Amino acid sequence: METLYNSLKSEDPLPTRQENHENLMRDCQAEGWTYGVVCDEAMKTRPDLVPFEQLPIQEKIKNYIFLAFVKACRRYLSVSL
């Protein structure tokens, strides 16, 4: 939890949506995940392990919302600290 808190209060610039997705792909692949039509924890497959341009619109929107949430949290933390 401390790592999450530290990343939220960081002043480092946020990645773009594409960079964020590339980071996710790299981290997942480093943990042994591969592309699969369905998400399967036992087989370690995920359908979102494709280039950002090939993501379905729902995944791109989820990525946008996540980064907007992190940005809002950073603003809140900077005011309340």
Side-chain angles (χ1 to χ4, degrees):
M1 189 62 132
E2 186 174 329
T3 303
L4 173 61
Y5 179 75
N6 288 336
S7 66
L8 288 176
K9 71 177 191 172
S10 171
E11 293 184 18
D12 293 338
L14 287 174
T16 65
R17 291 180 295 148
Q18 184 168 350
E19 291 167 340
N20 189 58
H21 179 68
E22 290 167 358
N23 292 340
L24 170 73
M25 283 184 48
R26 184 186 61 245
D27 292 347
C28 287
Q29 290 168 338
E31 293 176 6
W33 289 81
T34 59
Y35 171 80
V37 177
V38 295
C39 186
D40 184 326
E41 289 189 34
M43 298 294 294
K44 289 190 124 180
T45 60
R46 296 176 59 129
D48 59 353
L49 292 182
V50 296
F52 183 79
E53 298 78 25
Q54 294 177 20
L55 284 175
I57 189 69
Q58 309 92 291
E59 290 298 319
K60 290 179 180 179
I61 291 170
K62 185 169 45 171
N63 196 300
Y64 174 82
I65 292 170
F66 172 76
L67 290 174
F69 175 76
V70 171
K71 188 175 183 179
C73 288
R74 282 183 171 184
R75 266 195 238 123
Y76 173 77
L77 289 172
S78 70
V79 170
S80 64
L81 292 179

